[in-house]
């Protein structure tokens, strides 16, 4: 059973940095995607960034150039967040897709079916 546990959330001033980490266990796949999502109360959960099994990355337009996703041996997926803005405040979740039959590029990743419990990020001005 796949388990994901996030850490590293907290508070930061606008313009500051935070790094989120997600420990992934029980995951065995050759072709897959790992991702970070965020959700604000009353709104849908949206994808922030994704990385595929060939280390190709995808970013939502509003975080491009500020956030960096990286994975370590499929066991950890990190999200480095720089130049934070108040509208980055949200609950952040890491997620993993089901194993794919064939390679799927990060921008096309879907079917995220395993989720962490979330970690809160608050950015104040």
């Amino acid at each position: 059973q796949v388990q994901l546990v996030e850490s590293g959330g907290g508070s930061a001033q606008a313009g500051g940095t935070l790094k989120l980490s997600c420990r992934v266990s029980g995951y065995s796949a050759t072709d897959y995607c790992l991702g970070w999502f965020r959700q604000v109360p009353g709104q849908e959960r949206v994808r922030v960034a994704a990385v595929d099994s060939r280390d190709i990355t995808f970013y939502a337009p509003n975080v491009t150039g500020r956030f960096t996703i990286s994975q370590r041996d499929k066991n950890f997926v990190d999200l480095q967040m720089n130049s934070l803005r108040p509208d980055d405040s949200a609950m952040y979740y890491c997620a993993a897709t089901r194993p794919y039959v064939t390679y799927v590029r990060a921008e096309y990743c879907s079917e995220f079916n395993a989720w962490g419990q979330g970690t809160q990020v608050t950015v104040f001005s």
Side-chain angles (χ1 to χ4, degrees):
Q1 184 176 357
V2 181
Q3 291 188 321
L4 300 98
V5 180
E6 301 98 337
S7 61
S11 298
Q13 194 167 17
T17 66
L18 282 173
K19 183 176 181 178
L20 306 182
S21 291
C22 176
R23 184 176 182 275
V24 184
S25 60
Y27 194 48
S28 177
T30 300
D31 293 305
Y32 61 90
C33 287
L34 299 170
W36 283 94
F37 292 71
R38 67 187 183 190
Q39 187 171 25
V40 175
Q43 298 184 19
E44 291 186 355
R45 189 174 300 186
V46 296
R47 184 169 56 178
V48 173
V51 58
D52 66 31
S53 51
R54 297 181 184 178
D55 273 338
I56 303 298
T57 57
F58 165 84
Y59 298 94
N62 56 357
V63 305
T64 298
R66 301 188 299 121
F67 290 11
T68 302
I69 188 171
S70 60
Q71 62 176 322
R72 292 175 277 156
D73 301 323
K74 283 189 291 187
N75 294 322
F76 293 91
V77 55
D78 301 325
L79 186 68
Q80 177 67 46
M81 304 186 294
N82 299 331
S83 302
L84 284 164
R85 308 185 312 211
D87 61 359
D88 292 320
S89 299
M91 184 72 77
Y92 282 72
Y93 300 88
C94 67
T97 63
R98 63 168 180 80
Y100 294 132
V101 174
T102 188
Y103 169 69
V104 176
R105 191 177 171 91
E107 63 197 272
Y108 301 116
C109 292
S110 63
E111 298 183 76
F112 288 87
N113 64 353
W115 298 85
Q117 81 287 353
T119 186
Q120 180 67 40
V121 170
T122 303
V123 183
F124 52 92
S125 55

